[in-house]
Amino acid sequence: MTELLSFTMNGLVLGLIFAVVALGFTLILGVMQVINFTHGILFALGAYFAFSMQKYVGFWLALILAPILVGLVGLILERVVIHRTYAGNPLFGLLLTFGLATALEEVIRMVWGKTGFSVAAPRFAAGSLDLGFMIYSRYRLLLAVLAIAIILLVWLFLEKTPYGAIIKAGASDAEMVMALGKNLPRMRSFVFVVGSILAGVAGVIAAPIWSVRPTMGTAILMPAMIIVVLGGIGSFWGSVLAGLIVGLSTSI
């Protein structure tokens, strides 16, 4: 029973990471109609940026700065290359982002090397905590709290702000949003940046659990795609629930 509880807890934490990644993926897919294979690489870049920054600025500042850098990378990719595939054959976007992901993975190898790195948990979250029914990692508990907070913040943004309403409408019918006078290219760029930041945040908080390695983006991409299909494209809570299901099934 103790082992089952441990695997279940690990699965829930893993599912929350999957959910944060999948939320960005489903937003981009819903609004742009582009299967974004670079999403996994943006996740990896978040981990690498945080790995490089933490020894200088600490965990919390790295948690803020690394996703911002990832968002900037996402904005450059969207405005320079990916926007050219909108309203075209979906295969064009799929093949283009697949090529970009492959190229960026090689860039990671050139900058940080081919070998992986282990990332220590922040000192204040190191060690284990007695929950009464089991001993569990402090950092995994912190990770779960951070992931839940991120999910709730994204939900509040989408549900309670006017721009969030526009994004949800764009995911349902982008042409109608443009017909109503909204700047569709700007909205698409914004959504891509938000999705990139979510991938970057997930990479930062997952880094101490997974070794930081060039292929980590590829490893996260397939679960994210399964979650989007299982939860429904554009479905917020569907993606969260599907993330928990995939995380639990993977762990158990």
Side-chain angles (χ1 to χ4, degrees):
M1 183 58 71
T2 302
E3 289 182 353
L4 179 60
L5 284 172
S6 177
F7 285 127
T8 301
M9 291 286 288
N10 288 342
L12 288 172
V13 172
L14 181 62
L16 288 168
I17 296 174
F18 284 164
V20 173
V21 177
L23 284 177
F25 192 89
T26 194
L27 281 175
I28 293 171
L29 180 58
V31 174
M32 283 88 157
Q33 305 298 313
V34 172
I35 301 174
N36 178 29
F37 273 106
T38 64
H39 203 70
I41 290 298
L42 295 170
F43 169 83
L45 285 175
Y48 271 101
F49 286 154
F51 167 73
S52 301
M53 300 166 109
Q54 279 184 20
K55 52 188 172 184
Y56 301 110
V57 301
F59 174 79
W60 292 112
L61 199 53
L63 181 61
I64 296 171
L65 295 178
I68 291 175
L69 288 176
V70 174
L72 181 60
V73 172
L75 179 62
I76 293 170
L77 291 176
E78 195 276 335
R79 292 314 305 155
V80 174
V81 183
I82 296 175
H83 80 280
R84 302 173 187 274
T85 66
Y86 298 157
N89 190 321
L91 283 176
F92 293 160
L94 187 151
L95 292 172
L96 176 63
T97 56
F98 179 79
L100 284 172
T102 304
L104 288 171
E105 188 174 305
E106 291 304 314
V107 170
I108 288 176
R109 286 190 174 94
M110 288 189 289
V111 175
W112 284 282
K114 298 179 181 179
T115 58
F117 301 95
S118 60
V119 180
R123 188 173 301 175
F124 65 87
S128 301
L129 185 66
D130 188 354
L131 300 179
F133 57 91
M134 65 180 296
I135 305 296
Y136 199 67
S137 164
R138 288 177 183 270
Y139 183 74
R140 287 180 182 269
L141 292 172
L142 173 66
L143 192 157
V145 171
L146 288 173
I148 291 170
I150 292 163
I151 290 168
L152 291 177
L153 285 173
V154 174
W155 178 79
L156 287 171
F157 169 73
L158 292 175
E159 293 293 330
K160 304 299 182 182
T161 65
Y163 211 82
I166 295 171
I167 290 173
K168 289 197 300 179
S172 300
D173 192 338
E175 291 183 1
M176 182 60 69
V177 169
M178 187 166 58
L180 292 172
K182 303 300 180 181
N183 190 324
L184 189 60
R186 184 182 299 171
M187 184 190 73
R188 283 171 166 166
S189 297
F190 180 77
V191 170
F192 201 93
V193 170
V194 170
S196 301
I197 289 174
L198 287 174
V201 169
V204 175
I205 61 178
I209 294 178
W210 298 352
S211 61
V212 178
R213 59 193 189 279
T215 57
M216 66 186 299
T218 306
I220 197 70
L221 186 62
M222 188 54 67
M225 294 182 68
I226 292 171
I227 289 165
V228 169
V229 173
L230 185 62
I233 296 172
S235 172
F236 183 92
W237 291 114
S239 294
V240 174
L241 180 59
L244 294 175
I245 292 171
V246 173
L248 282 168
S249 61
T250 301
S251 179
I252 293 176

